[in-house]
Amino acid sequence: MWKVVIVVCALGNPCIVMEEDPIKYYNSKSECMANASAKHSQIVKGLQDIGYMIEKSNFTCEMTGESA
């Protein structure tokens, strides 16, 4: 199983590591990455819309020990 991990670094603020809450598990890395990409875009846009300057951001999926 795979879970989404997003890291956002806004100028003047510490980097934030985000996971879905509650955590959703995906059966394949490709399904997870598609969701991670969409969520990453929403988060970055939302932070920029309220005035944060994004220095760095990234998304990935991590394999977990959870099973279906």
Side-chain angles (χ1 to χ4, degrees), residues 10-31:
L11 199 60
N13 294 286
C15 295
I16 301 169
V17 178
M18 300 179 205
E19 295 179 347
E20 293 176 294
D21 185 20
I23 294 176
K24 293 181 186 171
Y25 296 101
Y26 301 93
N27 291 317
S28 68
K29 186 172 185 180
S30 59
E31 177 188 16

Side-chain angles (χ1 to χ4, degrees), residues 1-2 14 19 22-23 37 42 51 56 63 65 67:
M1 303 295 286
W2 298 86
E19 295 179 347
I23 294 176
S37 177
Q42 292 171 344
K56 286 191 281 188
M63 185 180 265
S67 58

Side-chain angles (χ1 to χ4, degrees), residues 15-66:
C15 295
I16 301 169
V17 178
M18 300 179 205
E19 295 179 347
E20 293 176 294
D21 185 20
I23 294 176
K24 293 181 186 171
Y25 296 101
Y26 301 93
N27 291 317
S28 68
K29 186 172 185 180
S30 59
E31 177 188 16
C32 183
M33 289 297 284
N35 282 283
S37 177
K39 291 176 188 303
H40 173 262
S41 296
Q42 292 171 344
I43 290 168
V44 168
K45 183 182 182 324
L47 289 171
Q48 289 172 330
D49 287 350
I50 59 172
Y52 285 95
M53 188 171 226
I54 305 302
E55 188 174 3
K56 286 191 281 188
S57 67
N58 201 0
F59 62 90
T60 192
C61 289
E62 291 183 350
M63 185 180 265
T64 69
E66 300 295 318

